[in-house]
Amino acid sequence: MTTRAKVHNTTIELVNSDITKQDVDVIVNAANSALAGGGGVDGAIHRAAGRDLMKELRERYRGGCPTGEARITAGYNLPAKFVIHAVGPIYRNVDNPAELLASAHSYSLKLAQENNAKTIAFPAISTGVYGYPMKEAATVALSAVSAYIKKHQPDFELVRFVLYSANPLKNPMTIFSQALADLIDSDEVVQAL
């Protein structure tokens, strides 16, 4: 199942797939603030990219990355040229989770734009062990991406959300699809495809 919408010349797409297999310019990693690798999406991206990814992170970003920001590395063994390591909030540990989650998405798009990326794939940042409720995260993520595209008019052809869950009770595709439909209904710039 794939769901799509258009914001200016950029297609926003939702797919149920493996983020490490995406043939895009940039894969966004749901990273921790230490940029130290971890489980879930972070662990899968590190395993697929190979050891050089961690080596570059240690050499370039010794201080890690603040929540709501992102850092960029090469993609190494991934199909993507770059990996953007976005640090989303731990939901219960901050007063402003929506602001920080939106910022992690906007910061990632800014880095992608600065590196001339045309295609980018996001996971559902902060919705795993960081505990961000999927419905709220979907609304924040899609709104942040749409707002960035409208404001900055980047040359992105595609912004893809790669949504996967082994747990059928936590179906991110259904939740993100509804959030995208709600965004289309509330914003004349966002068009259904």
Side-chain angles (χ1 to χ4, degrees):
M1 178 174 129
T2 303
T3 304
R4 291 184 184 92
K6 196 115 175 159
V7 181
H8 294 302
N9 295 321
T10 303
T11 298
I12 296 175
E13 180 178 73
L14 312 177
V15 299
N16 181 350
S17 189
D18 179 347
I19 198 160
T20 66
K21 308 284 190 218
Q22 302 305 301
D23 189 11
V24 291
D25 297 330
V26 173
I27 289 174
V28 177
N29 179 21
N32 56 58
S33 61
L35 301 177
V41 168
D42 195 12
I45 287 172
H46 275 266
R47 284 189 298 278
R51 293 180 183 194
D52 288 335
L53 178 64
M54 182 57 75
K55 182 179 177 189
E56 181 179 351
L57 284 169
R58 286 183 181 142
E59 289 173 1
R60 292 184 65 193
Y61 306 116
R62 292 173 198 225
C65 178
T67 302
E69 292 187 15
R71 302 294 184 259
I72 191 167
T73 63
Y76 298 101
N77 297 333
L78 291 163
K81 183 176 181 181
F82 300 106
V83 176
I84 292 177
H85 307 266
V87 181
I90 299 172
Y91 187 71
R92 290 174 189 83
N93 289 4
V94 294
D95 293 331
N96 53 346
E99 181 181 316
L100 290 168
L101 185 60
S103 178
H105 285 84
S106 300
Y107 208 107
S108 297
L109 292 170
K110 178 178 177 281
L111 286 174
Q113 187 175 12
E114 289 171 353
N115 285 276
N116 302 311
K118 303 289 185 217
T119 55
I120 182 169
F122 280 95
I125 296 171
S126 286
T127 61
V129 296
Y130 281 17
Y132 211 114
M134 188 71 68
K135 185 176 179 181
E136 290 178 42
T139 299
V140 170
L142 291 165
S143 296
V145 166
S146 175
Y148 185 91
I149 292 167
K150 285 187 280 187
K151 181 176 181 181
H152 299 285
Q153 299 279 321
D155 291 330
F156 298 142
E157 296 166 9
L158 175 68
V159 177
R160 178 181 291 153
F161 284 85
V162 182
L163 308 162
Y164 173 79
S165 178
N167 179 352
L169 299 175
K170 185 179 179 183
N171 187 340
M173 272 299 292
T174 301
I175 295 167
F176 268 75
S177 292
Q178 183 58 56
L180 186 57
D182 293 345
L183 184 61
I184 291 165
D185 288 345
S186 68
D187 189 333
E188 70 272 357
V189 179
V190 183
Q191 305 294 322
L193 288 180

